[in-house]
Amino acid sequence: MLQAIRDGVKGWIAWVVIGLIALPFVFMGGYDYFTGGTDRDAVVAKVGGEEIVRHELNRAVEQRRMQLREMFGGDLPEGAFDEGAMRREALQGLIDERLLHKFVADQNLRVSDEEVARTIRNQQIFHEGGQFSRDRYRTLLNQNRLTPEEYEEMVRQDLLVGQFEDVMRRSSFVASGMAERYLKLDREQRSFEYLELTAELFKDEVEITESELESYYEEHKDEYMAPEAVKLAYIEVREDELDDAAKIDNMANVAFERPESLEPAAEEVGADIRYSDWITQEGESDGLAQHSAIVSAAFSEDVLEYGYNSDLIEVSGGHFFVVRKAEHREAEPRPLSDVEQEVREQLRLERALDLARQEAEDLIASVEEDAEQLSSFAERVGAELFAVDGARRSDVSHPQSVVREAFRLGEGGVGKVELDNATVAVVRLAEVEPGDPDGVEDQELRQVQRDIEQMTSRADMQAFMRALRDDVSVKINEQRL
């Protein structure tokens, strides 16, 4: 059903319509409730003189979650998406919306009332028995605290932006013959060889003095941090071990009303107060820290900063905790004595990689004079020489940076790239076979042309949005995101 709506409704308004079905509490302030929405009208950004407030951002974030849930079949993999990054991405979308709406309004573009009405009448969400229902329309808007006038203005804005985007698409210029040139490049094949110089090959040549070790540690202390951690005092209760399950609610109420201590809450259920070992935000595979809800509570503002008891935490059916901070340790560098071997190995690896880089430069100079030097060097140091025949740009059987370098070089050229695993690769291009688009079917050629037009249009739109941002003052309040 949601896909059908998106097929019939363009732009950001589509997700407003989807929200009418799937998530009414987003518009009603429910999402603000779950995210601590007492400050729901706090200004998170200003675009020119226009404000974007927190509840708008919350709504946009939840709409993005809805999109992602659909992509993953209803459930989001835990920890797969960074909340902070998602909120910033959603805010950038709202900023772009504001910029586009302002620009379109300044151009005096118009959408007739009839076109707005026709668009709304065609939105299936408002249909009953195959026809538009005014009663359903008003009911759904009312449930979401939208007046017909407000919703119609939202639709009007979307149509205006759609008009402008259509103009941008039609005005994007793609030169004739571009599809053929693209296919020629895409079908080009290159044969090359490469060899990998790993830092491990040179580690035995590296000696580290104590003074070098100490200097490196001082310069890189922030890479050897002991993470922020807390020890918790906690009450643990299981519903099936109590003579009266109502005691759990009583415990939760007392913990809230007496936030300065766990003792009154513990007395309610006759439980002992116990203490955890150090817990970090990464959690653990066992003990208290295996429960993400407990870790989240431990590092919440109420528990960590204010020293209050947590809310009641249910980690599984009938298994409850209330926690409070017992000790807190800020993130701090681990002493050199604890990380000496780790620091020594890292410094040795970096020095060895420098040697690999220098060896690669020397090898390039030799191979440029005599191509056979590459295979000779590989035999001498015991490294594998990879020979690649007829690779295309899309080749994924070899490191992507190596393939890109092979397609950058001229025939007979030699170059180097660094790989992710402390390795330098030396690449020699042996042969280039130009691509031939002559055998391509007309249908595929037309599709390639359309794809190029779409890419060009997107690039034009991105450049246009950058220009709009340069002309309008955009201020973001990071503390309120």
Side-chain angles (χ1 to χ4, degrees):
M1 183 177 185
L2 300 185
Q3 184 60 49
I5 291 171
R6 278 202 302 277
D7 290 341
V9 188
K10 294 181 179 180
W12 59 274
I13 194 69
W15 287 101
V16 174
V17 175
I18 290 169
L20 294 173
I21 318 168
L23 208 63
F25 66 81
V26 171
F27 290 91
M28 295 167 64
Y31 183 68
D32 289 325
Y33 172 78
F34 290 113
T35 56
T38 55
D39 202 12
R40 69 190 304 272
D41 292 322
V43 176
V44 295
K46 284 188 176 182
V47 182
E50 192 171 351
E51 297 177 345
I52 297 175
V53 296
R54 180 175 288 154
H55 78 267
E56 292 180 89
L57 176 58
N58 290 344
R59 181 174 69 190
V61 170
E62 191 58 32
Q63 288 166 359
R64 286 177 183 268
R65 284 201 187 94
M66 289 163 59
Q67 296 172 5
L68 293 170
R69 286 191 194 103
E70 281 200 69
M71 290 170 56
F72 286 91
D75 295 313
L76 291 183
E78 186 174 352
F81 300 97
D82 179 76
E83 176 72 16
M86 191 182 296
R87 292 184 72 79
R88 284 174 173 77
E89 181 184 347
L91 179 59
Q92 294 305 322
L94 290 173
I95 290 171
D96 286 348
E97 252 178 44
R98 292 291 204 279
L99 290 169
L100 263 181
H101 289 168
K102 182 179 184 304
F103 177 82
V104 168
D106 291 345
Q107 306 313 302
N108 293 318
L109 298 178
R110 294 289 181 267
V111 171
S112 68
D113 293 342
E114 291 76 10
E115 189 173 356
V116 172
R118 183 169 59 252
T119 300
I120 293 174
R121 284 197 300 269
N122 288 336
Q123 291 172 353
Q124 295 295 315
I125 180 59
F126 302 126
H127 284 206
E128 283 184 342
Q131 293 185 333
F132 177 77
S133 167
R134 185 168 295 277
D135 288 341
R136 179 171 172 79
Y137 175 63
R138 292 185 177 277
T139 298
L140 284 173
L141 294 186
N142 185 58
Q143 286 176 352
N144 292 278
R145 296 185 179 179
L146 285 170
T147 67
E149 292 77 16
E150 289 171 335
Y151 184 69
E152 287 157 18
E153 182 58 27
M154 293 164 74
V155 172
R156 187 186 306 278
Q157 288 293 322
D158 185 61
L159 290 172
L160 286 169
V161 169
Q163 281 185 7
F164 175 72
E165 290 175 340
D166 287 341
V167 171
M168 289 287 291
R169 278 191 291 271
R170 290 195 298 271
S171 64
S172 295
F173 175 74
V174 177
S176 62
M178 182 67 76
E180 289 86 348
R181 287 196 290 275
Y182 170 82
L183 286 169
K184 186 175 181 180
L185 288 173
D186 182 60
R187 296 186 170 210
E188 179 182 289
Q189 295 184 12
R190 296 194 169 203
S191 298
F192 57 92
E193 57 185 358
Y194 69 97
L195 116 82
E196 297 179 354
L197 300 176
T198 67
E200 289 292 331
L201 290 171
F202 302 92
K203 283 178 71 172
D204 290 343
E205 300 178 26
V206 177
E207 296 290 337
I208 306 295
T209 68
E210 290 304 312
S211 62
E212 288 174 331
L213 183 73
E214 292 171 4
S215 295
Y216 184 88
Y217 169 75
E218 289 297 327
E219 292 172 7
H220 298 83
K221 270 186 176 180
D222 57 347
E223 298 174 19
Y224 302 96
M225 300 289 286
E228 180 183 24
V230 294
K231 287 185 177 180
L232 297 176
Y234 65 94
I235 306 168
E236 179 180 10
V237 294
R238 298 179 185 271
E239 187 174 355
D240 58 8
E241 296 176 356
L242 297 175
D243 56 7
D244 183 359
K247 288 183 177 180
I248 294 175
D249 288 335
N250 294 339
M251 176 187 70
N253 291 334
V254 171
F256 178 78
E257 293 165 359
R258 301 281 301 277
E260 73 286 347
S261 172
L262 282 179
E263 291 182 3
E267 290 174 3
E268 286 292 323
V269 291
D272 293 329
I273 298 174
R274 300 162 68 183
Y275 295 87
S276 75
D277 201 348
W278 288 109
I279 291 174
T280 69
Q281 295 192 57
E282 286 74 30
E284 300 289 345
S285 59
D286 55 15
L288 278 191
Q290 71 180 296
H291 303 295
S292 60
I294 290 179
V295 175
S296 295
F299 289 90
S300 68
E301 185 177 54
D302 280 352
V303 173
L304 189 62
E305 295 188 21
Y306 299 135
Y308 296 159
N309 297 331
S310 73
D311 293 333
L312 185 67
I313 304 166
E314 185 173 12
V315 297
S316 60
H319 188 189
F320 298 90
F321 287 84
V322 176
V323 306
R324 69 178 290 108
K325 177 182 68 179
E327 294 184 53
H328 176 227
R329 182 185 69 202
E330 295 282 1
E332 59 185 6
R334 290 181 288 169
L336 178 57
S337 58
D338 289 354
V339 295
E340 180 176 348
Q341 188 60 32
E342 184 180 347
V343 176
R344 190 181 297 277
E345 282 301 307
Q346 181 60 33
L347 179 53
R348 177 176 282 115
L349 183 66
E350 291 183 15
R351 295 278 179 85
L353 183 56
D354 287 339
L355 292 176
R357 292 183 182 116
Q358 184 57 55
E359 190 68 49
E361 292 288 352
D362 296 342
L363 182 57
I364 288 172
S366 299
V367 174
E368 285 175 338
E369 294 182 3
D370 178 6
E372 296 299 321
Q373 289 296 319
L374 194 59
S375 58
S376 299
F377 181 87
E379 291 178 9
R380 188 164 67 252
V381 300
E384 181 177 359
L385 181 65
F386 298 90
V388 183
D389 184 42
R392 292 172 62 170
R393 282 180 167 81
S394 56
D395 184 284
V396 294
S397 59
H398 299 276
Q400 289 297 290
S401 55
V402 169
V403 175
R404 284 194 297 270
E405 181 67 8
F407 277 87
R408 186 193 66 81
L409 293 168
E411 195 163 346
V414 188
K416 69 177 177 67
V417 292
E418 291 200 17
L419 308 182
D420 293 336
N421 53 346
T423 299
V424 181
V426 176
V427 186
R428 187 185 76 84
L429 178 62
E431 183 181 0
V432 177
E433 183 180 343
D436 182 8
D438 291 342
V440 177
E441 298 287 340
D442 288 345
Q443 182 178 354
E444 182 181 354
L445 194 62
R446 287 194 296 271
Q447 182 60 52
V448 170
Q449 184 74 16
R450 285 193 293 270
D451 290 343
I452 293 173
E453 289 170 355
Q454 289 177 0
M455 287 188 291
T456 303
S457 175
R458 282 197 296 270
D460 289 346
M461 195 65 185
Q462 290 168 356
F464 177 76
M465 293 307 303
R466 287 194 296 270
L468 283 186
R469 282 175 176 258
D470 289 341
D471 289 341
V472 178
S473 172
V474 177
K475 297 181 180 179
I476 298 174
N477 190 332
E478 292 283 344
Q479 287 72 37
R480 292 181 175 176
L481 292 185

